[in-house]
Amino acid sequence: MLAPRVRAVPITLCSVPLVSMRQLLDEAASGGYGVGAFNVNNMEQIQAIMEAARDTRSPVIVQASRGARAYTNDRFLWHLMQAAVELYPEIPVALHLDHGNDPATCISAIELGFTSVMMDGSLEADGKTPASFEYNVAVTKEVVAYAHARGVTVEGELGTLGGIEDGHGSGEVHLTDPEQAVEFVEETGIDALAVAIGTSHGAYKFAQAPDGEVLKMDLIQEIHRRLPDTHLVMHGSSSVPQELVAKVNQYGGALKPAWGVPREEIQLGIRHGVRKINVDTDSRLAITGAIRQVFVETPEAFDPRDYLKPARAAMQALIAERMGDFGQAGHAGDYEPLSLEEMRERYATAAVRT
Ligand SMILES: [Zn+2]
């Protein structure tokens, strides 16, 4: 549940506002690369992403879940993002709602100033119960109408991912049906489609290094063949590097053996229409390993900066590496960001497919 919050009036503090996620993904499609969508909850994570984007000259998607919005009470998140666009004017950055559970949550994010929302109608509003196709189409369509009238991008999801994170998820995997995906995109008019191909949220995605039996990359190829103009999204796409897991455990952590999505598989996806790659777990592992190291090696330290600085640096290094892996590095200056008003006009005149 969202914490009670003041009704936010979006304010523009600088001349370079947040940009449309649709434009970021369209540009990525023409350039043949993917864009990482990195989850944030606090200032240090936003700083880590923006510094990595500057170093690698990358356009980027910053995303916040319902849990993150509650944690930051929305208002802090909004102002931190305003600081980000003010301090990094050369970086195109979209602010995206991850896993909106119902139209009201998506609408509140749009009112706050998010330039993109995910309506996850693959689950009912409780974020747990797998929903019917009809329910998914209805709620997604409703959000698309509201969002596109304001120039805001919409991501939908068909099929369910494994894993439960922040109380979200059914814990069951239902792979995306390619034929149904075509119907879903046609009915709803979404900009981007999250596909379930066997990935899960959280650190424990696979019981062993994944192969084609558990990670259905061929499904992505099939969906892309049928929907060549739809931007595909891979959720739960942290790679869970073994050295990060080992570092957490070396300094007193108790993570079980964990495997993520190998970089090569993500790059294969990018060659077949994947434009947005969601990464959260890897950032968490990098931060936790760095903090644990300080606690173990410098037990006398008690200034939060003593451990938050190395934590931020560790996440920044990880994000910069991902930006290189996904191919977004070097593309920040490729295009002039369109305003949401310009995007609204494009949707209204069907200059972008709706
Ligand atoms: Zn997700």
Side-chain angles (χ1 to χ4, degrees):
M1 282 293 105
L2 285 176
R5 59 179 191 273
V6 294
R7 187 179 164 81
V9 181
I11 49 170
T12 305
L13 296 172
C14 60
S15 57
V16 186
L18 293 158
V19 305
S20 148
M21 189 173 88
R22 174 62 188 259
Q23 189 191 8
L24 284 188
L25 301 183
D26 283 348
E27 291 288 341
S30 5
Y33 60 91
V35 182
F38 304 105
N39 286 76
V40 298
N41 296 284
N42 62 25
M43 179 183 76
E44 284 78 8
Q45 290 178 305
I46 294 173
Q47 290 174 324
I49 294 166
M50 297 312 295
E51 281 294 310
R54 171 166 283 169
D55 282 351
T56 60
R57 299 193 306 113
S58 298
V60 69
I61 300 161
V62 172
Q63 62 184 13
S65 64
R66 272 195 299 154
R69 290 177 64 192
Y71 182 75
T72 58
N73 202 359
D74 265 356
R75 208 65 179 142
F76 280 106
L77 175 70
W78 173 250
H79 285 278
L80 288 168
M81 288 309 298
Q82 287 298 301
V85 291
E86 192 181 335
L87 291 169
Y88 301 84
E90 81 282 17
I91 302 299
V93 52
L95 178 61
H96 174 76
L97 169 70
D98 193 18
H99 291 287
N101 64 315
D102 62 11
T105 300
C106 295
I107 289 168
S108 70
I110 294 168
E111 284 182 344
L112 183 64
F114 281 60
T115 58
S116 179
V117 293
M118 175 185 191
M119 176 61 241
D120 182 359
S122 70
L123 301 172
E124 291 182 4
D126 64 4
K128 292 180 173 61
T129 314
S132 70
F133 180 75
E134 293 70 28
Y135 169 90
N136 194 355
V137 168
V139 289
T140 306
K141 235 173 142 165
E142 184 184 339
V143 171
V144 167
Y146 187 92
H148 284 185
R150 290 157 182 80
V152 170
T153 311
V154 181
E155 173 185 336
E157 175 168 329
L158 190 62
T160 58
L161 287 92
I164 299 174
E165 200 163 47
D166 291 345
H168 181 95
S170 66
E172 301 168 31
V173 179
H174 297 282
L175 298 176
T176 306
D177 177 279
E179 208 171 297
Q180 218 176 32
V182 174
E183 197 185 336
F184 186 69
V185 169
E186 279 171 3
E187 292 262 327
T188 59
I190 48 170
D191 302 278
L193 175 68
V195 289
I197 54 160
T199 59
S200 295
H201 291 124
Y204 306 106
K205 299 179 189 305
F206 307 108
Q208 57 189 43
D211 57 20
E213 283 303 301
V214 288
L215 190 59
K216 307 282 187 190
M217 295 307 295
D218 52 342
L219 198 50
I220 286 213
Q221 299 180 27
E222 177 61 17
I223 295 167
H224 180 55
R225 195 180 62 74
R226 297 186 190 217
L227 290 167
D229 298 325
T230 300
H231 302 306
L232 303 181
V233 183
M234 277 175 75
H235 278 242
S237 290
S238 281
S239 296
V240 191
Q242 295 304 297
E243 63 272 19
L244 286 187
V245 175
K247 184 173 175 180
V248 169
N249 287 343
Q250 181 191 344
Y251 294 105
L255 295 175
K256 291 176 283 182
W259 282 272
V261 182
R263 177 181 56 188
E264 296 69 27
E265 301 297 324
I266 294 169
Q267 290 170 334
L268 175 65
I270 292 169
R271 289 197 292 278
H272 295 279
V274 170
R275 298 294 157 230
K276 175 173 179 274
I277 303 103
N278 288 7
V279 173
D280 189 358
T281 294
D282 283 352
S283 303
R284 296 176 176 196
L285 290 171
I287 287 171
T288 300
I291 289 179
R292 282 192 171 280
Q293 183 176 7
V294 174
F295 284 173
V296 168
E297 290 181 349
T298 329
E300 69 278 16
F302 67 96
D303 181 337
R305 289 171 297 186
D306 290 340
Y307 49 86
L308 291 178
K309 271 191 198 172
R312 183 173 63 188
M315 177 168 162
Q316 182 185 330
L318 176 110
I319 300 287
E321 192 185 324
R322 293 290 173 273
M323 287 169 164
D325 293 344
F326 302 158
Q328 72 208 80
H331 288 287
D334 287 1
Y335 50 92
E336 280 300 312
L338 297 166
S339 68
L340 289 189
E341 177 55 25
E342 285 168 302
M343 286 305 296
R344 187 193 65 74
E345 282 167 21
R346 288 185 169 215
Y347 286 122
T349 58
V352 289
R353 175 194 50 75
T354 57

